[in-house]
């Protein structure tokens, strides 16, 4: 879809009789150029010799792929040249008043990471499935949280409380699953917990017109304090309440034996499969159904929505609650889907990263999901690289995803504009 | 993003009271005033937290089993669990009656001020960004950079106190300001959202400081293998304000000066006026000829600089034996709640910082005295901010009738809100 943008843009610009203001932004070529400079410095000046091995399948896979062995220096030289060519192409496009297509930037990003992994993994072997599976695990709660954020902000309530919704979901799901012995009850209770946190947000921001950012931040502190207090006071002395139950992995027949993709996407647990469903449903619902249209109308122009008979505040209340329920599922992934037992502040800022994914993804469920996947991949990269033993101090490896995000946000995304009425309470006059 | 208009009425609203009943009017005003609502909000937060403490107390739980047979036991247990917790918070934060002598008695109070010091100054930084319409979640990174810079100056130069100490503080301010500048610059130049930038820079600062702390020649203590810096030199340590028996140091005067500065900046200076104008409505500010991009840069630089002072007081006053990457101690995030409770007004932040400092000091005392986890303090803090932000809720709960000056204000505020929505 995005690849169509330049083709569409050109006829518009050439339409006779219409004075179209031509604008061009050099941000993207500059950002890509910065990455090329980094590549030259890292891969050529500080280049390494040897062979980098990419293991494409793990020992237990149904279909074994051969290992890909690449000569480190040669691969990096070729990839750096390709990166430079893409950057020049982007500069050319901008000089012609055309937009740099998103797919080109995506290709650039992937190639940069491949070059980087090749460089870091000289004379080492990198287990590619492990890298990707770990990324998906780290992304799953972020994706749920980002979906909750997208729905809530699209309906006009800024959702800074994602962290609280995740943590609430994690705590309640662990306790309820332990008490009832039913993982499914835990999952449902996580949704209820997330929705409850959301309802506080909704009541205070809709009924009492409190600044939504304030309520969001305060709710995060509140849920952190409450769950930590209950954990120290009740759960530690009563281990039956925090038994650490987990969903088992379910292989989808057929699909799970596809090489590389099968183990990554179709050998997961129920919570991850629910995530796929949630992304699809939210995307479809938001843009193809009456529910989504009303939701977006309320978020963009509440007065217009009110005029055509949509109950603005009720729509906001129930959709913010729904957003919390979805984020609560993400919280359940921390416990039931991943670690088992609840631990103090186990979400560790994931809610804020999910918020960043919402903004990075420009309030679009698919883009926000991709942003969340990027964050998950970036934070998993450090685990893989620390195992490989890379030549750069590990702290700089750990820093890399965040620096890349800053460059990406500053250079490629730029000004992002949220739903028009997001953050503003609606008072009927 | 800006401070909430409907809930922050001007300090002197009151349409002139008509003729009679001045005294009863005054009384009613006190009961209905915002200060009263704030007090009631604190009471409400303490009551709710008390319920939580009581409900999780083992004695209360066991006595609740035979509540209908002997209700007295449970009531006594509830009273005991809650009162012991709150008394120890009070004794740990204000006055310790059990201590000998005046000095030991007010020792907790100085501890409160000591804990409040970084909270206030970091809260001022966050508040300043709020007033310019920006959400600075990057306190952690700014404190780390401030602490690293101040700490480095503090342990590597041998200078007389009169030069060394100011230099170290300035280094801390510069470290925080640099981290704020990156955010402001990128936001102004590229339009990148400050929430993403500050979150990401928190991690960058954390790993950068961790790297420097384990690299000999940068911040690591010579001969040590731990990721920890050398101790701050005595010439760079903030002198104790009340003698050697109290931890409170000269940094507190610095914090008061910072509060006065912020108050002047926001209320009296041209730059502060521009901050507020941009915070209220950047489009209108641009139309009025204000350079919005410059305001973003300056607001973030000053915000980072203030938060950097918190980093400096941490390494030059609170923890002078060498710092690790945990020097932030959650102050960066606490500062957000402090700024919110203080409604982004400098003296409001000052008061909020002292209240939170008291809860922190008292919380540690409570945890040590009777094992109630300090996390309850977070619950109290968040409930206070929540209730203070929603005066109508507090009024409803305590059945305070809102008459006179109150209702037109709400009506005016809500109509202005609608105007914003309709554009």
């Amino acid at each position: 879809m995005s690849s169509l943008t330049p083709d569409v843009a050109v006829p518009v610009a050439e339409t006779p009789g219409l004075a179209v203001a031509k604008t061009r932004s050099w941000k993207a070529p500059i950002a890509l150029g910065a990455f090329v400079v980094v590549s030259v410095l890292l891969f050529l000046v500080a280049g390494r010799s040897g062979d980098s091995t990419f293991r494409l399948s793990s020992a237990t896979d149904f279909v074994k792929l051969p290992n890909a062995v690449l000569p480190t220096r040669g691969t990096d030289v070729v990839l750096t040249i390709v990166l430079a060519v893409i950057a020049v192409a982007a500069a050319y496009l901008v000089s012609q008043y055309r937009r740099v297509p998103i797919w080109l930037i995506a290709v650039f990003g992937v190639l940069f990471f491949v070059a980087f992994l090749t460089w870091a993994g000289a004379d080492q072997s990198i287990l590619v499935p492990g890298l990707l599976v770990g990324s998906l695990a780290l992304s799953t709660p972020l994706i749920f949280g980002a979906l909750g954020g997208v729905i809530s902000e699209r309906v006009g309530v800024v959702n800074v409380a994602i962290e609280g919704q995740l943590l609430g979901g994690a705590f309640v799901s662990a306790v309820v699953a332990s008490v009832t012995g039913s993982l499914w009850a835990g999952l449902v209770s996580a949704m209820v917990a997330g929705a409850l946190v959301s309802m506080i947000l909704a009541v205070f921001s809709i009924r009492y017109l409190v600044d939504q950012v304030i309520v969001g931040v305060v709710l995060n502190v509140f849920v952190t304090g409450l769950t930590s207090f209950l954990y120290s006071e009740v759960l530690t002395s009563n281990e039956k309440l925090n038994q650490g139950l987990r969903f088992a992995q379910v292989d989808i027949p057929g699909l799970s034996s596809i090489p590389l993709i099968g183990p990554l996407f179709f050998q997961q647990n129920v919570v991850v499969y629910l995530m796929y469903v949630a992304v699809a449903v939210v995307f479809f619902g938001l843009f193809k159904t009456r529910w989504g249209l009303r939701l977006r109308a309320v978020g963009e122009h509440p007065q217009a929505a009110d005029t055509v008979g949509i109950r603005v505040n009720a729509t906001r209340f129930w959709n913010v609650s729904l957003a919390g329920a979805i984020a609560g599922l993400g919280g359940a992934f921390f416990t039931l889907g991943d670690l088992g037992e609840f631990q103090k502040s186990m979400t560790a800022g994931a809610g804020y990263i999910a918020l960043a994914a919402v903004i990075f993804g420009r309030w679009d469920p698919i883009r926000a999901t991709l942003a969340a996947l990027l964050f998950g991949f970036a934070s998993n990269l450090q685990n893989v690289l620390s195992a490989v033993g890379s030549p750069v101090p590990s702290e700089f490896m750990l820093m890399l995803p965040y620096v890349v995000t800053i460059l990406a946000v500053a250079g490629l995304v730029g000004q992002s504009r949220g739903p028009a009425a997001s953050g503003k309470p609606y008072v009927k006059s | 993003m800006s401070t909430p208009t409907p809930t922050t009425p001007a300090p002197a609203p009151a349409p002139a009271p008509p003729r009679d009943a001045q005294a009863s009017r005054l009384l009613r005003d006190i009961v209905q005033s915002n200060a009263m609502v704030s007090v009631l909000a604190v009471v409400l937060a303490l009551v709710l937290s008390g319920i939580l403490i009581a409900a999780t107390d083992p004695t209360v739980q066991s006595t609740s089993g035979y509540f209908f047979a002997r209700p007295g036991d449970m009531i006594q247990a509830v009273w005991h669990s809650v009162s012991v917790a709150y008394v120890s918070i009070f004794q740990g934060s204000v006055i310790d009656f059990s201590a000998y002598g005046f000095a030991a008695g007010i020792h907790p109070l100085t501890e409160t001020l000591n804990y409040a010091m970084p909270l206030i100054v970091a809260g001022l930084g966050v508040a300043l960004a709020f007033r310019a319409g920006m959400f600075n979640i990057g306190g952690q990174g700014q404190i780390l950079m401030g602490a690293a810079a101040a700490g480095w100056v503090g342990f590597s130069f041998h200078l007389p106190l009169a030069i060394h100490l100011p230099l170290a503080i300035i280094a801390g301010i510069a470290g925080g300001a640099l981290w704020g500048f990156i955010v402001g610059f990128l936001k102004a130049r590229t339009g990148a959202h400050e929430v993403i930038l500050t979150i990401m820079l928190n991690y960058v600062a954390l790993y950068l400081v961790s790297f420097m702390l384990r690299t000999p020649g940068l911040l690591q203590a010579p001969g040590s293998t731990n990721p920890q810096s050398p101790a701050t030199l005595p010439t760079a340590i903030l002198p104790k304000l009340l003698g050697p028996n109290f931890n409170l140091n000269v940094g507190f005067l610095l914090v008061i000066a910072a509060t006065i500065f912020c108050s002047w900046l926001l209320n009296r200076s041209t730059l502060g006026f521009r901050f507020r104008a941009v915070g209220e409505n950047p489009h209108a500010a641009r139309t009025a000829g204000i350079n919005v991009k410059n305001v973003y840069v300056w607001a973030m630089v000053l915000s980072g600089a203030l938060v950097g002072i918190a980093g400096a007081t941490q390494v030059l006053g609170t923890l002078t034996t060498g710092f690790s990457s945990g020097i932030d101690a959650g102050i960066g995030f606490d500062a957000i709640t402090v700024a919110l409770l203080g409604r982004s007004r400098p003296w409001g932040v000052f008061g909020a910082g002292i209240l939170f400092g008291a809860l922190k000091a008292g919380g540690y005392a409570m945890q040590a005295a009777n094992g109630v986890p300090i996390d309850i303090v977070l619950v109290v803090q968040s409930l206070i901010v929540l209730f203070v932000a929603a005066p109508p809720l507090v009024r409803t709960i305590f059945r305070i009738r809102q008459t006179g000056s109150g209702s037109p204000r709400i009506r005016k505020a809500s109509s202005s809100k609608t105007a914003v929505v309709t554009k």
Side-chain angles (χ1 to χ4, degrees), chain A residues 27 211 218 233 303 395 410, chain B residues 2 190 214 373 375 382 393 422:
Chain A
K27 277 190 305 191
D211 188 287
V218 169
E233 189 77 351
Q303 199 166 44
E395 286 84 0
Chain B
S2 63
T190 69
R214 71 168 183 86
D375 306 300
S382 52
L393 178 68
T422 52

Side-chain angles (χ1 to χ4, degrees), chain B residues 23-254:
Chain B
S24 72
R25 176 95 202 184
L26 185 69
L27 193 68
R28 221 185 312 153
D29 274 355
I30 290 171
V31 174
Q32 292 164 357
S33 72
N34 260 33
M36 192 64 193
V37 168
S38 302
V39 170
L40 291 176
V42 174
V43 171
L44 201 55
L46 288 176
V47 169
L48 287 178
S49 308
I51 293 173
L52 192 62
I53 293 174
T56 53
D57 187 84
T59 324
V60 175
Q61 283 170 356
S62 59
T63 50
S64 71
Y66 53 92
F67 176 72
F68 291 104
R70 283 167 61 190
D73 279 12
M74 183 176 157
I75 291 167
Q76 201 178 2
V78 167
W79 171 249
H80 183 257
S81 66
V82 178
S83 64
V84 166
Y86 284 162
V87 164
S88 58
I89 285 191
F90 183 80
Q91 292 197 338
S93 63
V94 189
I95 294 173
D96 188 358
F97 296 114
S98 61
Y100 284 107
F102 177 73
I106 64 156
H107 189 266
L109 190 64
T110 64
E111 282 301 300
T112 291
L113 297 181
N114 205 25
Y115 278 112
M117 206 162 61
L119 289 175
I120 294 170
V121 76
L124 286 173
V126 175
L128 203 66
F130 266 131
R131 293 297 286 272
M134 282 185 289
F135 188 18
N136 180 7
I137 324 185
Q140 186 192 7
Q142 289 147 16
I143 287 179
L144 278 169
M145 295 309 287
W152 180 72
V153 171
F155 66 71
S156 33
F157 298 105
H158 292 272
L159 296 165
L161 183 112
I163 303 173
H164 199 180
L165 183 59
L167 200 64
I169 293 172
I170 289 171
I173 293 174
L178 171 72
W179 229 232
F181 170 77
I182 298 176
V183 177
F185 179 79
L186 288 178
K187 183 181 170 73
R189 278 303 162 96
T190 69
H193 202 287
E194 77 277 2
V195 167
I196 302 185
L197 293 176
T198 46
I199 293 174
M200 297 300 148
L201 281 173
N202 279 346
Y203 291 99
V204 174
L206 180 64
Y207 293 125
L208 190 63
V209 172
S210 307
F211 166 72
M212 292 193 286
L213 280 170
R214 71 168 183 86
T215 308
L218 290 174
L219 288 179
Q220 194 178 36
S224 163
T225 51
N226 292 331
Q228 202 175 13
S229 77
T232 311
L233 292 173
T235 49
I237 291 178
L238 292 159
K240 300 267 189 265
L241 199 57
L242 303 172
N245 293 332
F246 297 99
N247 286 326
L248 189 66
N249 59 47
V250 176
F252 195 71
L253 300 180
L254 189 68

Side-chain angles (χ1 to χ4, degrees), chain A residues 23-398:
Chain A
T23 54
R24 52 183 171 183
S25 161
W26 287 97
K27 277 190 305 191
I30 290 174
L32 297 187
F35 278 104
V36 171
V37 171
V38 170
S39 315
V40 169
L41 288 177
L42 213 54
F43 308 145
L44 302 186
V45 177
R48 309 170 77 200
S49 51
D51 289 323
S52 310
T53 310
F54 290 95
R55 282 156 60 202
L56 298 180
S57 32
S58 55
T60 53
D61 279 2
F62 182 69
V63 180
K64 291 266 193 319
L65 293 175
N67 292 346
V69 182
L70 302 171
T72 305
R73 189 174 285 275
T75 313
D76 269 342
V77 169
V78 170
L79 286 174
T80 308
I81 292 170
V82 174
L83 291 178
V85 167
I86 295 179
V88 170
Y92 172 77
L93 284 175
V94 171
S95 74
Q96 298 295 308
Y97 295 94
R98 290 168 61 179
R99 290 173 60 100
V100 182
I102 303 270
W103 64 264
L104 194 65
I105 292 169
V107 168
F108 186 94
V110 171
L111 289 179
F112 180 81
F113 269 116
V114 172
F116 181 77
L117 282 177
T118 312
W119 176 77
D123 289 328
Q124 299 276 353
S125 72
I126 291 172
L127 182 61
V128 177
L131 175 64
L132 297 177
V133 170
S135 309
L136 191 66
L138 286 170
S139 303
T140 303
L142 298 181
I143 293 174
F144 277 120
L147 289 177
V150 166
I151 293 180
S152 179
E153 304 221 356
R154 281 277 181 164
V155 83
V157 176
V158 173
N159 191 355
V160 190
I162 302 173
E163 176 85 0
Q165 291 154 359
L166 289 175
L167 199 55
F171 179 84
V172 173
S173 64
V175 173
V176 169
S178 299
V179 170
T180 62
S182 157
L183 289 163
W184 289 100
L187 211 54
V188 172
S189 68
M191 295 180 73
V192 173
L196 280 176
V197 175
S198 253
M199 280 176 184
I200 304 178
L201 172 70
V203 165
F204 273 85
S205 53
I206 297 170
R207 170 81 176 82
Y208 293 108
L209 309 181
V210 182
D211 188 287
Q212 295 165 4
V213 175
I214 296 185
V215 190
V217 173
V218 169
L219 275 178
N220 290 342
V221 178
F222 176 69
V223 177
T224 309
L226 188 63
T227 54
S228 303
F229 175 77
L230 291 175
Y231 175 80
S232 314
E233 189 77 351
V234 182
L235 295 196
T236 44
S237 58
N238 205 339
E239 283 172 7
K240 276 187 189 158
L241 293 176
N242 197 9
Q243 293 175 1
L245 302 173
R246 290 163 59 182
F247 276 107
Q249 177 182 317
V250 180
D251 294 0
I252 305 237
L255 292 173
S256 63
S257 46
I258 304 171
L260 207 55
I261 293 180
L264 173 56
F265 291 113
F266 302 110
Q267 295 182 9
Q268 298 285 356
N269 61 46
V270 175
V271 188
V272 177
Y273 296 135
L274 270 177
M275 182 267 287
Y276 303 154
V277 176
V279 172
V281 167
V282 169
F283 173 73
F284 181 81
L286 214 48
F287 297 112
K288 308 283 178 198
T289 65
R290 188 161 70 166
W291 164 72
L293 186 63
R294 290 187 166 186
L295 186 158
R296 286 180 292 137
V298 165
E300 290 290 343
H301 202 317
Q303 199 166 44
D306 197 6
T307 312
V308 296
I310 301 171
R311 292 191 304 149
V312 171
N313 284 339
T315 310
R316 285 191 168 171
F317 181 84
W318 290 112
N319 283 301
V320 171
S321 306
L322 173 70
I326 293 175
L329 278 177
F333 179 80
F334 282 103
T335 49
L336 305 182
D338 192 27
L339 206 63
E341 58 188 38
F342 178 83
Q343 289 172 355
K344 237 183 203 187
S345 314
M346 68 187 309
T347 51
Y352 287 100
I353 302 271
L355 181 66
V358 172
I359 301 170
F360 199 3
R362 298 189 215 172
W363 293 269
D364 175 284
I366 299 292
R367 286 204 189 119
T369 302
L370 292 176
L373 281 172
L374 179 71
F375 289 141
F377 176 76
S379 32
N380 192 44
L381 195 60
Q382 66 205 26
N383 301 337
V384 173
L385 289 177
S386 62
V388 168
S390 77
V392 187
S394 61
E395 286 84 0
F396 288 96
M397 292 290 164
L398 294 163

